[in-house]
Amino acid sequence: MPRYIYPALPESEVTPERLYRERRRFMKQSARLALAASLPGWSGLSLAQDKPPPWKQKLPEAPSNNQFSTQEPLTDQKIVTSYNNFFELGTRKRDPSDWGHYLQTDPWAIKVEGEVNKPGTYDLNKLIKPDQLEERIYRLRCVEAWSMVIPWTGFQLSELIKRLEPTSRAKYVVFETLYDPEQLRGQRRDTIDWPYTEGLRMDEAMHPLTLMAVGLYGNPLPNQNGAPIRLVVPWKYGFKSIKSIVKLRFQEEQPVSSWQQLAPEEYGFYANVNPNVSHPRWSQARERRLGEEGRRKTLMFNGYAEEVAHLYQGMDLEKNY
Ligand SMILES: Nc1nc2c(c(=O)[nH]1)N[C@H]1C(S)=C(S)[C@@H](COP(=O)(O)O)O[C@H]1N2
Ligand SMILES: [Mo]
């Protein structure tokens, strides 16, 4: 029996063995939680309590980036904010919007460590430069074979990385999501080995399409979509676009991402959208655009081949899935 739990299994596939395993995981987790409660946490970190900048209340008018935006019709905002994958808040699509309100996003700090000249713990308010914000309409394609078209407000990750000055040994950037089971009730279960971790090769991270998003539909990100700041990598399957980021680490070795760790035969490090390479349990050739009837063909690199195919020249994409 494979160890996968993603995509969330329909109720009918929940076997007694699976229930048993979940109970075991839960017990392990409870022990860990008891320990965590006795230790001073990250949340005890003291931060400058500046008045929240205007973009936290209401995002400033961000200019549209037409070069990088698709013209396709937008997915209904209701769908974008109520059909979510955010396992920290549960495994059902409705869980993130039902349970996201416990997440405190202000103040918010991001820790920067590893192969970098400017390590430290940065207050998000100081890290974002409002004049670098822009709006980009991107396709987001989930490995579960559905997709959406979303107007994001954000800034290029490359702008931030340049300011942090990675050393010449930095070949990868690793991202981590907040770990706090009190706020993120899905973390009370061991579905994933928390914290959720993702990574990009440095050239992918520096690519102008790679966005750090703080808003969608012109408003600050709803918690279920990864408030206050998340990654958006439009040519990769949705799971690379990690939410509610609290850490960036620069390192020489290729990291192991959460889904890769959970099911290495199913999820690779690259996770580029590729209609020619099937997931072991289903095809990736087509997708359902949420809100539409029928299915459409999935495009190579989710339609961003012209911009990103060169990054993978000479690589065997069957092996590097
Ligand atoms: N921390 C974290 N980030 C995450 C996930 C998650 O479970 N935890 N799910 C991923 C998956 S599988 C997808 S498809 C997208 C969904 O983003 P959306 O809910 O904003 O559409 O978020 C990604 N980022
Ligand atoms: Mo996904």
Side-chain angles (χ1 to χ4, degrees):
M1 181 86 186
R3 286 181 61 244
Y4 64 77
I5 46 99
Y6 173 76
L9 293 173
E11 220 56 61
S12 61
E13 287 182 43
V14 178
T15 60
E17 188 201 336
R18 192 178 144 75
L19 286 174
Y20 162 76
R21 267 205 323 263
E22 270 174 10
R23 205 171 317 127
R24 249 192 358 195
R25 279 203 199 116
F26 177 76
M27 279 154 57
K28 216 167 74 189
Q29 180 75 350
S30 310
R32 204 192 290 162
L33 271 182
L35 175 67
S38 66
L39 298 171
W42 230 85
S43 42
L45 196 81
S46 78
L47 293 167
Q49 290 278 0
D50 293 350
K51 199 164 66 155
W55 66 265
K56 286 299 289 248
Q57 318 300 331
K58 194 176 174 299
L59 289 177
E61 285 286 303
S64 312
N65 183 320
N66 296 322
Q67 188 195 348
F68 288 136
S69 289
T70 168
Q71 309 280 324
E72 291 165 282
L74 304 180
T75 302
D76 189 333
Q77 187 173 185
K78 266 230 189 76
I79 298 177
V80 174
T81 57
S82 64
Y83 190 89
N84 300 102
N85 275 336
F86 195 174
F87 276 51
E88 285 84 342
L89 293 167
T91 53
R92 291 167 302 188
K93 296 290 182 268
R94 278 297 303 272
D95 284 333
S97 51
D98 282 350
W99 302 106
H101 54 280
Y102 291 107
L103 174 62
Q104 292 289 334
T105 59
D106 191 17
W108 192 267
I110 297 189
K111 195 171 180 189
V112 175
E113 60 182 35
E115 291 294 339
V116 64
N117 289 330
K118 303 256 171 78
T121 299
Y122 293 87
D123 186 319
L124 183 63
N125 294 340
K126 303 215 173 82
L127 198 137
I128 293 174
K129 303 231 174 290
D131 60 339
Q132 287 178 346
L133 293 178
E134 51 184 35
E135 184 169 83
R136 299 179 176 198
I137 303 170
Y138 279 170
R139 288 177 288 272
L140 181 100
R141 196 329 187 144
C142 179
V143 75
E144 292 168 297
W146 46 262
S147 63
M148 305 192 202
V149 177
I150 303 173
W152 300 103
T153 305
F155 58 93
Q156 281 184 203
L157 175 59
S158 66
E159 299 286 351
L160 174 59
I161 291 180
K162 277 186 237 156
R163 276 192 276 146
L164 298 174
E165 299 178 13
T167 72
S168 58
R169 297 175 64 172
K171 303 282 190 298
Y172 296 89
V173 199
V174 186
F175 304 84
E176 281 180 19
T177 295
L178 176 69
Y179 176 71
D180 185 345
E182 280 194 21
Q183 301 183 55
L184 301 166
R185 73 199 299 273
Q187 288 179 329
R188 296 169 204 170
R189 285 174 57 203
D190 245 354
T191 46
I192 287 174
D193 191 6
W194 313 109
Y196 193 100
T197 302
E198 264 303 342
L200 294 173
R201 211 171 59 188
M202 196 57 82
D203 58 347
E204 299 176 322
M206 294 300 289
H207 193 282
L209 277 174
T210 304
L211 202 69
M212 289 292 262
V214 296
L216 57 79
Y217 270 96
N219 298 310
L221 281 179
N223 289 354
Q224 60 266 36
N225 295 93
I229 186 162
R230 55 105 42 99
L231 188 67
V232 184
V233 195
W235 71 94
K236 292 178 181 282
Y237 291 116
F239 63 87
K240 295 294 283 188
S241 292
I242 180 172
K243 297 174 169 181
S244 306
I245 297 168
V246 293
K247 193 192 275 185
L248 258 62
R249 183 169 61 252
F250 294 85
Q251 63 185 47
E252 195 158 13
E253 324 77 58
Q254 182 172 298
V256 177
S257 63
S258 289
W259 291 112
Q260 219 184 331
Q261 192 217 26
L262 204 62
E265 28 348 287
E266 303 196 4
Y267 307 105
F269 174 76
Y270 285 96
N272 292 318
V273 174
N274 187 341
N276 308 316
V277 176
S278 297
H279 182 280
R281 291 181 284 132
W282 63 88
S283 161
Q284 295 291 4
R286 295 180 165 271
E287 68 199 50
R288 186 164 58 92
R289 178 67 49 87
L290 297 184
E292 273 184 14
E293 296 294 321
R295 284 172 191 264
R296 47 170 78 214
K297 277 192 172 155
T298 289
L299 303 174
M300 190 63 201
F301 296 113
N302 202 22
Y304 300 94
E306 214 172 293
E307 290 91 348
V308 302
H310 69 275
L311 298 175
Y312 309 101
Q313 225 153 38
M315 280 176 64
D316 182 347
L317 298 181
E318 299 254 356
K319 283 206 186 102
N320 296 287
Y321 51 93

